[in-house]
């Protein structure tokens, strides 16, 4: 074996071992534990009981519904706003573009815990809360944004949309900057309006970016956990209990590791189905 080839295999071996230890092994272990009543000293094999209990649990369906609502609203709204912002900052000079991109990306570099506490202050039910101060100017009374079933989920969705704008704006702007200027020149010659350029030139060219952001956004939405855990704890009355939070509670609050693993694998299967469907439906004429 040539020396160069040997070093190539050595460098491949490091990420391969990392994948096996930190990804493949936990997934296989979770699959095995999902058929057991897990105990630290001697687990008991229970077959499909954990899956049957999961499908009989009404809270599991409510958590899936909450997760679905959260994802199908958060992803398209975030992408639409990101696309519009990218279009608006595109005509600016490069330095000014960088200022806007940095401003929108700033929340992404903050920890999720810090963001959650900032948004908890914004949604504070007391008159000192920022949002209550705003609604007060319109003559409305204080609202318990995170404590009411009517507004808790909407509050989490608004937070997720604004917290996730930065990354999408960066990716969309990069895609827009990659469009050849000759397309715009040809559109100008044909007398196309601004909206016609966006509809018939920009949108088809950035479609691969849109497909990528849609699939990754839905996957992230279905895996959402941190915001609900830190801001509402799943309440009120499980109105914001996401699938990830349900799995966490089952494992680390009730110590039902087998059922938690079964729920996690079911959620992974649902995410895989959604990802494949999205890819099939939205990427028919996309080339990578």
């Amino acid at each position: 074996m040539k020396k160069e080839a040997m070093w190539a295999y050595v460098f491949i071996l490091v990420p391969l071992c990392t994948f096996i230890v930190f990804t493949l092994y936990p997934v296989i272990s979770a699959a095995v534990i999902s058929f057991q009543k897990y105990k630290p000293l001697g687990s008991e094999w229970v077959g499909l009981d954990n899956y049957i209990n999961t499908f009989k649990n009404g809270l599991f369906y409510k958590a899936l519904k909450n997760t679905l609502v959260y994802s199908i609203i958060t992803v398209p709204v975030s992408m639409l706003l990101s696309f519009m912002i990218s279009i608006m900052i595109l005509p600016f000079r490069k330095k000014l573009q960088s200022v806007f991109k940095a401003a929108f990306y700033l929340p992404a570099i903050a920890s999720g815990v810090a963001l959650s506490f900032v948004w908890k202050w914004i949604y504070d039910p007391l008159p000192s809360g920022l949002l209550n101060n705003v609604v007060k100017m319109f003559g409305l009374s204080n609202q318990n944004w995170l404590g009411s079933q009517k507004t808790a989920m909407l509050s989490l969705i608004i937070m997720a949309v604004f917290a996730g704008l930065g990354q999408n704006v960066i990716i969309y702007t990069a895609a827009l900057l990659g469009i050849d200027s000759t397309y715009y020149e040809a559109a100008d010659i044909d007398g196309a309006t601004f909206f016609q350029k966006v509809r018939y030139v920009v949108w088809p060219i950035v479609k691969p970016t849109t497909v990528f952001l849609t699939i990754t956004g839905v996957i992230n939405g279905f895996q959402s956990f941190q915001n609900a855990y830190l801001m509402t704890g799943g309440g009120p009355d499980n109105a914001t209990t996401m699938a990830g939070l349900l799995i966490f509670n089952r494992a680390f609050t009730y110590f039902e590791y087998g059922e938690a693993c079964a729920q996690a694998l079911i959620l992974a299967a649902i995410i895989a189905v959604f990802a494949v469907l999205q890819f099939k439906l939205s990427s028919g004429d996309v080339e990578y």
Side-chain angles (χ1 to χ4, degrees):
M1 180 184 297
K2 292 182 179 180
K3 190 175 180 180
E4 293 81 1
M6 184 190 71
W7 279 110
Y9 283 113
V10 169
F11 282 113
I12 292 173
L13 191 61
V14 174
L16 181 63
C17 291
T18 305
F19 171 78
I20 291 172
V21 173
F22 294 105
T23 303
L24 187 60
Y25 173 72
V27 170
I28 294 174
S29 296
V32 174
I33 293 173
S34 70
F35 295 103
Q36 298 176 337
K37 185 174 180 57
Y38 181 79
K39 298 175 184 176
L41 298 175
S43 299
E44 179 186 349
W45 187 266
V46 295
L48 294 174
D49 284 0
N50 289 324
Y51 290 91
I52 294 172
N53 292 336
T54 296
F55 287 120
K56 287 183 177 177
N57 187 352
L59 184 56
F60 179 70
Y61 295 102
K62 186 168 186 177
L64 285 182
K65 178 185 173 185
N66 290 340
T67 307
L68 185 64
V69 170
Y70 177 86
S71 299
I72 63 176
I73 296 177
T74 302
V75 174
V77 172
S78 177
M79 289 179 58
L80 179 62
L81 288 177
S82 303
F83 183 71
M84 291 170 62
I85 292 169
S86 302
I87 290 284
M88 286 190 288
I89 67 176
L90 194 64
F92 297 146
R93 292 184 178 180
K94 199 168 183 179
K95 287 185 178 178
L96 194 54
Q97 280 184 18
S98 300
V99 171
F100 278 105
K101 285 189 285 186
F104 283 108
Y105 195 72
L106 193 59
I109 64 175
S111 76
V113 176
L115 280 179
S116 296
F117 279 99
V118 170
W119 279 91
K120 281 191 80 170
W121 168 67
I122 293 173
Y123 291 134
D124 195 322
L126 298 176
S128 58
L130 180 62
L131 194 52
N132 275 337
N133 272 300
V134 174
V135 299
K136 187 179 178 182
M137 291 189 294
F138 295 95
L140 300 176
S141 57
N142 290 338
Q143 301 293 321
N144 190 359
W145 301 102
L146 297 173
S148 168
Q149 290 193 45
K150 295 179 180 177
T151 55
M153 177 59 78
L154 179 62
S155 301
L156 292 185
I157 288 172
I158 292 173
M159 173 192 174
V161 167
F162 283 99
L165 276 180
Q167 181 179 339
N168 292 352
V169 168
I170 295 289
I171 294 175
Y172 261 133
T173 306
L176 293 173
L177 290 172
I179 298 176
D180 197 315
S181 61
T182 56
Y183 290 110
Y184 298 119
E185 293 168 1
D188 287 332
I189 292 172
D190 290 339
T193 64
F194 169 79
F195 291 105
Q196 286 174 326
K197 289 179 188 176
V198 172
R199 169 67 181 83
Y200 296 107
V201 177
V202 175
W203 185 250
I205 293 177
V206 301
K207 189 174 180 181
T209 303
T210 304
V211 172
F212 169 76
L213 291 177
T214 303
I215 293 174
T216 55
V218 170
I219 291 173
N220 290 333
F222 271 86
Q223 293 177 336
S224 60
F225 159 76
Q226 181 176 264
N227 298 345
Y229 176 71
L230 291 174
M231 298 182 67
T232 64
D237 193 23
N238 293 308
T240 58
T241 297
M242 307 291 186
L245 181 57
L246 180 74
I247 294 168
F248 176 86
N249 286 335
R250 184 56 57 185
F252 300 107
T253 302
Y254 303 107
F255 304 107
E256 294 285 351
Y257 297 109
E259 195 169 326
C261 288
Q263 292 174 350
L265 291 175
I266 294 170
L267 179 63
I270 292 172
I271 292 173
V273 169
F274 267 92
V276 171
L277 285 176
Q278 283 180 297
F279 193 79
K280 292 287 185 185
L281 294 174
S282 59
S283 64
D285 55 347
V286 174
E287 295 182 0
Y288 293 94

